[in-house]
Amino acid sequence: MRTTQRITIEQIQTAADLLIAGKLVAFPTETVYGLGADALNPHAVKRIFEAKGRPSDNPLIAHIASHEQLRQLAIEVSPLAKLLIERFWPGPLTLVMDKDPDLPDDLTAGLDTVAVRMPEDPIALDLIRRVGRPIVAPSANRSGRPSATTWESVLIDLDGRIDGVLCGPPTRIGLESTVVDTTTDEPVILRHGAITQEMIQRVWPSGRSSSTHLGLGPIPGSNGPAASEVQVDFARRSPGTRHRHYQPKARVVLFDSIDQLGELPLAVGILAIASKSDLHAIESDLSGKYPGAKLCVCSSFDDYAGRLFEFFRECDLENVPTIYCQRVELSGLGRAIMDRLDRAAG
Ligand code: TXA
Ligand code: MG
C-alpha cells in the first residue's frame, strides 16, 4: 500500500513533480479521469499496468500538449492523421500512428503503432506542459470496471495503489475518446466516442467503422473489405477490445422501451432516456411503478454519456443486483453509448 495524495488544482505543480519523478498521478480530462505516468519512463509505464491490474497486451494512449511532442512518439504523421489533427485536436480523439522505435515497449504492448491524443481539458493540458513530456494515461479505474468520471470514483478503485490524484471537477463528456487508426489510407474507428463517425465522415467521406455493433461491415456507400476480413483485422488492430470492459458488479440488462420493463424485483437500477418535454412524466411514472428502484432518466445522448458510468458506480455502492439500461439509436454519440452498454451487458 502507498499513500495516495489528494492534490488540489492550486497544487497542480505537486502533481507535475510527482510525474516527473516517475510516480503515478490520476488527473481529469474532458472524457474520463486518466491515470498518468511519464510516457518515456519504462519503469513508470510498467507500474501503470500493475496499479490497474491491466493485461500487458493492452497498449496505452500517450497524451501531449503540443505538436512538437508528437515527434517524440510517431515516426510518420500520414495525410489522413494531419487532417484529423487539424480538425479535432485538441479534443476527445485518439489517433493510432506508426511509432518511434525507441518508445518503451510496454507503452505500445509490443505493437509497431502508438496511440496519441491531445486533450482539450485546460487542467490536463496545463499538467502535461508542466511535466514537459508526453504522459500515458489509461482510464483511471481497475481493469474491467467502468471508467471514473470523478476523482472520488478514482479513489474507490485506486486508493493506496497510486501516488496522487488531482482533484478536479467531474469530466464533461463521461465516455472515453474516439480511437481512429490512421496507418491505412482511410480512417478506421476502433472505439466510438464524442468525435462521432458522422463528424469523421464529413472530413473523410470514405471512412468506415469496425465496431461490432455496427455489423462489422463497411459503412454504406464505401467500398471497404468484407465483414469477416474486417473482423480479423479489427482484433489485431485494437487489442483493448479483446478484454472485459466497463462492467459494474451488477448484472446489466438492456431494454428498448419502458413499456417492455414489466414486473421487476424491488431493488433494481433503471437508466432510461426521454425527451426534455416527457422527462418529468416518465420519472414520476417509473418511480410510481418501481418504488424501490434507483432511477436515472436522461434528457439527451450527451446527458446519458455523462451519467452512465457514475450511475453504474452508484448502483454498485448500494449493492443493486441488476441495472436495466435503455438502448439508444445508433447515430452520433449513440454509437459510443451502445458500445459501452453492449460490453457492460457482455
Ligand atoms: O478518453 C480516453 O481515451 C481516456 C483518457 C484518460 O484520455 N483514456 C483511455 O485509455 O480510455 P484506455 O487505456 O482505457 O483505452 C485505450 C484504448 C484501448 O482500447 C487500447 O486498446 C487502444 O486505446 N489503443 C492504445 N494503443 C493502441 C494501438 N497502438 N493500436 C490500437 N489501439 C490502441
Ligand atoms: Mg479504459
Side-chain angles (χ1 to χ4, degrees):
M1 277 293 266
R2 57 189 70 232
T3 309
T4 303
Q5 276 192 55
R6 279 70 168 158
I7 305 166
T8 65
I9 299 304
E10 293 69 41
Q11 301 166 324
I12 190 167
Q13 188 58 43
T14 305
D17 291 341
L18 285 170
L19 289 167
I20 292 166
K23 308 283 188 194
L24 308 187
V25 181
F27 62 97
T29 81
E30 70 275 24
T31 55
V32 297
Y33 269 72
L35 176 57
D38 177 349
L40 306 178
N41 176 339
H43 176 69
V45 170
K46 226 186 182 73
R47 274 201 49 218
I48 290 244
F49 287 86
E50 291 163 14
K52 281 192 53 127
R54 182 177 176 108
S56 58
D57 64 353
N58 192 4
L60 304 174
I61 298 173
H63 295 64
I64 57 174
S66 71
H67 293 277
E68 288 70 56
Q69 285 180 330
L70 187 52
R71 284 194 220 113
Q72 294 176 276
L73 301 166
I75 38 170
E76 209 209 315
V77 182
S78 66
L80 163 63
K82 280 204 183 98
L83 201 70
L84 294 172
I85 287 170
E86 266 168 39
R87 178 67 188 78
F88 298 115
W89 275 8
L93 176 68
T94 296
L95 300 176
V96 173
M97 304 184 214
D98 289 320
K99 78 162 198 174
D100 183 312
D102 292 337
L103 286 182
D105 258 350
D106 285 334
L107 192 164
T108 59
L111 295 177
D112 49 13
T113 54
V114 61
V116 188
R117 167 161 115 82
M118 187 188 289
E120 73 188 14
D121 183 279
I123 300 169
L125 285 174
D126 187 16
L127 183 67
I128 303 165
R129 276 195 200 107
R130 284 168 192 262
V131 174
R133 289 151 80 92
I135 294 183
V136 280
S139 49
N141 52 279
R142 290 299 295 270
S143 198
R145 301 260 303 134
S147 297
T149 60
T150 65
W151 64 264
E152 291 92 340
S153 292
V154 172
L155 286 176
I156 287 172
D157 277 23
L158 297 173
D159 199 8
R161 306 181 68 88
I162 62 176
D163 301 291
V165 56
L166 188 53
C167 304
T171 61
R172 179 173 63 81
I173 295 169
L175 298 181
E176 308 80 358
S177 62
T178 308
V179 180
V180 175
D181 189 347
T182 66
T183 60
T184 46
D185 43 10
E186 58 176 28
V188 179
I189 298 175
L190 301 178
R191 179 174 74 186
H192 288 283
I195 302 299
T196 62
Q197 181 173 313
E198 290 84 347
M199 290 160 79
I200 292 167
Q201 279 176 288
R202 254 175 255 140
V203 177
W204 198 280
S206 65
R208 64 193 160 86
S209 160
S210 298
S211 185
T212 37
H213 67 262
L214 290 176
L216 284 168
I219 52 169
S222 81
N223 299 315
S228 57
E229 286 171 49
V230 176
Q231 190 155 23
V232 172
D233 193 37
F234 183 60
R236 183 182 60 78
R237 286 197 211 196
S238 191
T241 54
R242 286 198 292 260
H243 302 288
R244 254 182 98 238
H245 255 309
Y246 317 119
Q247 288 178 336
K249 293 184 197 121
R251 186 170 68 105
V252 173
V253 176
L254 307 186
F255 67 93
D256 286 312
S257 94
I258 289 168
D259 318 326
Q260 289 175 347
L261 277 176
E263 291 281 306
L264 293 180
L266 212 54
V268 292
I270 301 176
L271 179 55
I273 185 161
S275 63
K276 281 205 174 72
S277 53
D278 290 345
L279 197 68
H280 293 299
I282 293 205
E283 268 170 350
S284 57
D285 184 34
L286 283 172
S287 54
K289 244 195 201 139
Y290 307 108
K294 208 174 152 48
L295 292 181
C296 177
V297 185
C298 306
S299 60
S300 63
F301 283 4
D302 284 349
D303 193 27
Y304 202 128
R307 295 165 73 180
L308 173 64
F309 288 145
E310 207 48 32
F311 186 67
F312 280 0
R313 286 175 169 275
E314 281 166 27
C315 287
D316 276 355
L317 283 177
E318 293 179 24
N319 293 315
V320 170
T322 311
I323 308 172
Y324 292 84
C325 302
Q326 189 165 5
R327 289 196 183 87
V328 299
E329 192 193 316
L330 282 179
S331 69
L333 191 57
R335 287 196 182 85
I337 294 170
M338 279 313 301
D339 170 63
R340 304 321 186 262
L341 288 180
D342 280 339
R343 287 174 201 278

